[in-house]
């Protein structure tokens, strides 16, 4: 396993982490035993940076992970997040009408204890604000998170989908170690100003959905997605963008095949190629995909490969927004 440094902390994390969300939530049916086997395999193969959140299946994802985390606590660097809440207490996704965001001090103090209980651990390694609450000054949110560090409940602090302005304000209150934001061949928001800001401040980028939610491998299966599959709500899987994205995926897969790899591996290698200070967290609930994703850490992309990828991306510009309208209001705040 290759390793990368986490911010200024001295921690060495596997060059890719493991996104655990899909083991309980969002991307169709999951088999608990298969997920547990995948977690054990990740451990065996040295993937030591695991990602979850309190909202994934309303805490069930944290409970699932705890089964492998607890007996192997010293080998895993665990990250979780707080902030999304459900009006009726029923799990849903970020853009659903019953879901809202709460970055208030009162909620953070409860949320951290609930995550610790579900994970069955004493300290969370990396605790993220899942979004910046537009109704709470970021200084107040991060001030409360800093108190959790003092109390020994949390080791390092992170933000997710924060704007450069919020990152700077937050970092003045307490060092921010990681920014988790969407970054992939299809989602490039961070390239505008965010990457340069966090590089200046020594903050690691943790790209989520680095495989564009599996679009390169599943865009032709959209008719088989269940009604509760989150991807059904995303513009990239909808009529106006579907043809563009099918053609895009085909060309990326064809180019990858000419190099003897999969389109998903090419997509992940592209993210890894954007800097040693970037640690993507591809999500999977399957050993086969985990192994393929680890193999992508060894793929070298030449200047000519990168040019080919760019030219394919430019040919298919109608990829669509990464979230529905409601969810878009909560990103880059
Ligand atoms: N901060 C945030 O707001 C936020 C938002 C979304 C996600 N996240 C975190 O980021 C993690 C990763 O993002 P993500 O899961 O949304 O998207 P992703 O990593 O881009 O893609 C995951 C999808 O790709 C499929 N996949 C994975 N490896 C594959 C391979 N080698 N070949 C073919 N398909 C493959 C998975 O299938 P299977 O499910 O069948 O294994 C899943 O459907 C999540 O697990 C979560 O922890 C954070």
């Amino acid at each position: 396993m290759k390793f990368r440094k986490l911010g200024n902390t001295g921690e060495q994390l596997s060059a890719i982490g493991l996104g655990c969300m899909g083991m309980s939530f969002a991307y169709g049916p999951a088999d608990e035993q298969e997920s547990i086997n995948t977690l054990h395999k990740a451990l065996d193969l040295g993937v030591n940076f695991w990602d979850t959140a309190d909202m994934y299946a309303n805490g069930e994802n944290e409970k699932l992970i705890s089964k492998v985390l607890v007996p192997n606590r010293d080998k895993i660097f665990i990250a979780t997040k707080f902030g999304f809440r459900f009006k009726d207490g029923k799990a849903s996704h970020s853009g659903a009408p019953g879901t809202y965001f709460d970055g208030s001090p009162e909620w953070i103090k409860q949320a951290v204890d609930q995550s610790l209980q579900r994970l069955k651990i004493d300290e969370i390694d990396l605790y993220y604000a899942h979004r910046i609450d537009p109704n709470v000054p970021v200084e107040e949110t991060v001030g409360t998170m800093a108190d959790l560090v003092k109390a020994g409940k949390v080791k390092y602090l992170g933000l997710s989908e924060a704007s450069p302005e919020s990152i700077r304000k937050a970092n003045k209150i307490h060092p921010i170690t990681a920014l988790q934001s969407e970054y992939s061949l299809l989602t490039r928001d961070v390239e505008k100003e965010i990457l340069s800001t966090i590089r200046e401040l020594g903050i690691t980028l943790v790209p989520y959905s680095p495989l564009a939610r599996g679009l390169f491998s599943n865009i032709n299966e959209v008719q088989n997605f269940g009604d509760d599959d989150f991807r059904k709500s995303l513009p990239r899987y909808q009529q106006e963008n579907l043809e563009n994205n099918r053609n895009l995926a085909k060309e990326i897969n064809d180019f990858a095949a000419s190099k003897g790899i999969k389109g998903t591996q090419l997509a992940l290698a592209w993210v890894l190629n954007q800097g040693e200070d970037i640690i993507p967290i591809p999500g999977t609930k399957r050993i086969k995909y985990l192994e393929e994703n680890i193999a992508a850490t060894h793929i070298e992309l030449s200047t000519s490969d990168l040019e080919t990828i760019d030219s394919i991306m430019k040919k298919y510009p109608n990829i669509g927004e990464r979230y529905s309208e409601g969810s878009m209001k909560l990103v880059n705040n």
Side-chain angles (χ1 to χ4, degrees):
M1 177 52 61
K2 291 187 177 177
F3 290 88
R4 291 187 169 187
K5 278 190 288 191
L6 178 70
N8 299 320
T9 63
E11 305 272 357
Q12 295 276 344
L13 302 185
S14 44
I16 60 163
L18 177 61
C20 300
M21 179 177 80
M23 293 178 179
S24 317
F25 177 67
Y27 300 154
D31 178 88
E32 176 165 325
Q33 193 52 51
E34 191 176 15
S35 296
I36 287 177
N37 294 346
T38 304
L39 290 167
H40 279 293
K41 193 69 176 179
L43 205 56
D44 290 348
L45 297 176
V47 176
N48 65 0
F49 179 28
W50 296 5
D51 189 82
T52 181
D54 58 2
M55 77 157 324
Y56 300 160
N58 204 5
E60 291 304 317
N61 193 237
E62 290 181 326
K63 286 188 197 164
L64 172 74
I65 289 168
S66 77
K67 295 183 183 176
V68 185
L69 173 66
V70 172
N72 298 286
R73 182 67 192 98
D74 56 335
K75 300 189 199 93
I76 299 155
F77 187 94
I78 186 75
T80 191
K81 323 180 191 78
F82 69 86
F84 283 109
R85 300 184 68 181
F86 308 114
K87 282 187 188 130
D88 58 6
K90 262 199 246 142
S92 196
H93 60 80
S94 60
T99 306
Y100 64 105
F101 194 80
D102 186 351
S104 67
E106 296 71 29
W107 174 240
I108 297 169
K109 286 177 216 162
Q110 291 178 54
V112 72
D113 287 340
Q114 290 179 14
S115 281
L116 286 167
Q117 275 160 22
R118 285 187 294 252
L119 288 165
K120 298 198 174 80
I121 55 175
D122 303 325
E123 189 182 37
I124 294 161
D125 295 311
L126 176 56
Y127 200 40
Y128 295 100
H130 212 151
R131 293 289 183 268
I132 302 301
D133 188 336
N135 302 311
V136 178
V138 66
E139 292 89 342
E140 236 177 78
T141 299
V142 175
T144 309
M145 292 167 77
D147 291 342
L148 304 181
V149 177
K150 282 188 212 119
K153 295 183 179 187
V154 167
K155 208 165 184 184
Y156 305 113
L157 302 187
L159 304 175
S160 180
E161 293 289 358
S163 66
E165 197 190 355
S166 294
I167 295 165
R168 285 188 191 282
K169 284 184 187 167
N171 199 56
K172 281 192 182 140
I173 303 292
H174 189 279
I176 299 298
T177 295
L179 175 75
Q180 182 175 132
S181 289
E182 185 167 349
Y183 189 34
S184 69
L185 274 174
L186 273 70
T187 300
R188 306 288 188 91
D189 306 23
V190 297
E191 290 177 355
K192 280 176 219 140
E193 214 189 316
I194 292 170
L195 253 177
S196 59
T197 304
I198 62 174
R199 283 186 166 144
E200 181 195 320
L201 301 173
I203 298 169
T204 293
L205 180 68
V206 176
Y208 77 77
S209 305
L211 305 172
R213 302 185 189 267
L215 183 142
F216 297 109
S217 60
N218 62 30
I219 189 79
N220 293 318
E221 290 163 26
V222 67
Q223 68 283 357
N224 301 329
F225 291 170
D227 285 341
D228 61 345
D229 194 311
F230 175 57
R231 291 167 297 197
K232 265 204 164 164
S233 70
L234 300 176
R236 288 180 180 168
Y237 288 90
Q238 282 163 17
Q239 212 49 56
E240 60 274 26
N241 308 115
L242 205 51
E243 199 186 327
N244 180 87
N245 292 341
R246 281 190 170 137
N247 292 331
L248 168 63
K250 181 174 182 331
E251 279 211 36
I252 288 287
N253 285 321
D254 287 349
F255 178 54
S258 75
K259 295 179 61 63
I261 57 175
K262 278 179 61 170
T264 44
Q265 291 178 308
L266 186 76
L268 188 54
W270 181 89
V271 175
L272 284 158
N273 194 70
Q274 304 307 309
E276 281 291 317
D277 53 353
I278 291 180
I279 310 179
I281 46 166
T284 185
K285 45 189 181 253
R286 297 170 211 283
I287 289 177
K288 180 177 182 285
Y289 290 171
L290 171 73
E291 290 175 334
E292 289 173 4
N293 296 343
I294 293 171
T297 65
H298 298 287
I299 296 169
E300 303 279 343
L301 296 177
S302 66
T303 309
S304 149
D305 291 336
L306 294 170
E307 281 167 9
T308 304
I309 293 170
D310 274 353
S311 70
I312 297 172
M313 296 308 299
K314 283 201 185 96
K315 252 173 93 178
Y316 300 104
N318 299 320
I319 54 177
E321 289 283 19
R322 58 192 176 109
Y323 277 119
S324 60
E325 219 180 311
S327 299
M328 282 303 285
K329 289 192 184 131
L330 273 175
V331 299
N332 298 330
N333 280 323

